[in-house]
């Protein structure tokens, strides 16, 4: 694997944290790491486990946000579709006949003529009237923002999962190192006696 | 990682990054499988709708746009359904391609990581 083929990964320094998520420090040498922390093996393992738990909590939160955004995007696209249809009908000077749901299982017929404006639900019990063009622009903006937020969120999740993996590997290595140390001590003490 | 008698295998930053990358690819692989399943279902639905359309003898079809069912002439519905079919097929192809690429990358990484760590690492689905 040529290192030159992936400059951003290996050449750049490790990011200390990302949007409030602390980065897990990579351990080159377990002994040096334990000395640096000034903790014995059990306390180190406890500390790392706690870090892992904190990461998991943040992961749950981010996953929930991701699900919300992923549901929001098709909704906005559907709205854009409706507005586009209304505009097309207005241009062709036809009335639009639709069946819409009045209550669960009950539909009513509506005739929409010359749809100059639409009302958009902005949330927080607020609904505003817009012309078709303004509505399209607003919905397009919302769609782009949602997609951009989703991208950032996905990158956050990737970063977080990397930190989780690093922490898990560190826990395994500290544990292995401890087992190794005990082995060495047992063999040397059994040799002495 | 199994403890295999407390091995002293060095884990370099490059190894760690490979492990991270494998984890990321694995996650994306599972996400893709779900997305592919949903896209296939959507494709089937559009297929069914298109078949029903051929069978019906009504001139005006109630076509779902957003949350309402608009009265749309049969020809326009045919066009819309065809467009939706094309979009879904293209999307499905892209997803399958990405899945293949990810599987290849994961196989590559498995070779590298098993080569270095042998039994100390487990990269299989549990």
């Amino acid at each position: 694997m040529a290192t030159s083929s992936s400059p951003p990964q290996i050449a750049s320094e490790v990011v200390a944290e990302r949007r409030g998520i602390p980065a897990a420090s990579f351990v080159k040498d377990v002994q040096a790491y334990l000395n640096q922390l000034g903790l014995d093996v059990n306390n180190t393992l406890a500390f790392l486990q706690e870090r892992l738990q904190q990461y998991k909590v943040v992961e749950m939160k981010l996953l929930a946000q991701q699900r919300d955004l992923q549901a929001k995007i098709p909704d906005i696209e559907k709205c854009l579709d409706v507005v586009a249809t209304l505009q097309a009908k207005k241009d062709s000077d036809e009335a639009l006949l639709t069946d819409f749901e009045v209550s669960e299982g009950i539909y009513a017929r509506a005739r929409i003529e010359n749809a100059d404006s639409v009302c958009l639900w902005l949330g927080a019990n607020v609904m505003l009237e817009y012309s078709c063009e303004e509505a399209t622009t607003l919905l397009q903006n919302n769609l782009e923002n949602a997609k951009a937020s989703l991208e950032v969120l996905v990158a956050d999740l990737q970063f977080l999962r990397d930190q989780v993996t690093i922490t898990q590997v560190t826990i395994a290595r500290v544990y292995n190192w401890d087992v190794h140390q005990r082995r060495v001590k047992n063999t040397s003490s059994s040799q002495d006696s | 990682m199994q403890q295999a008698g407390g091995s002293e295998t060095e884990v370099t930053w490059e190894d760690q990054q490979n492990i991270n990358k494998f984890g990321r690819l694995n996650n994306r692989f599972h996400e893709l499988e779900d997305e592919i399943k949903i896209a296939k279902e959507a494709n089937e639905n559009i297929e069914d709708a298109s078949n029903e359309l051929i069978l019906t003898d009504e001139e005006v079809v109630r076509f779902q746009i957003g949350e309402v069912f608009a009265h749309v002439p049969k020809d326009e519905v045919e066009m819309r359904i065809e467009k939706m079919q094309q979009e879904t097929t293209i999307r499905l192809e892209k997803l399958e391609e990405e899945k293949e690429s990810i599987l290849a990358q994961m196989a590559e990484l498995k070779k590298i990581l098993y080569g270095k760590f042998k039994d100390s690492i487990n990269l299989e689905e549990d």
Side-chain angles (χ1 to χ4, degrees), chain A residues 119-130 138-139 142:
Chain A
C119 296
L120 289 178
W121 179 264
L122 299 178
N125 278 343
V126 174
M127 184 182 255
L128 257 135
E129 191 173 349
Y130 292 92
L138 183 72
L139 288 170
N142 286 353

Side-chain angles (χ1 to χ4, degrees), chain A residues 78 97-99 161-162 180, chain B residues 6 24 27 62 69 71:
Chain A
K78 273 198 267 189
L97 276 173
T98 72
D99 294 338
R161 290 209 176 105
D162 281 353
H180 185 86
Chain B
R24 258 191 271 174
N27 277 326
R62 285 169 202 67
F69 294 91
H71 291 213

Side-chain angles (χ1 to χ4, degrees), chain A residues 15-23 54-55 58 61 156 159-160:
Chain A
V15 175
E17 61 113 58
R18 186 194 156 109
R19 292 176 22 114
I21 309 171
Q54 291 169 341
Y55 283 145
V58 179
K61 200 175 74 167
D156 282 347
F159 173 78
L160 187 64

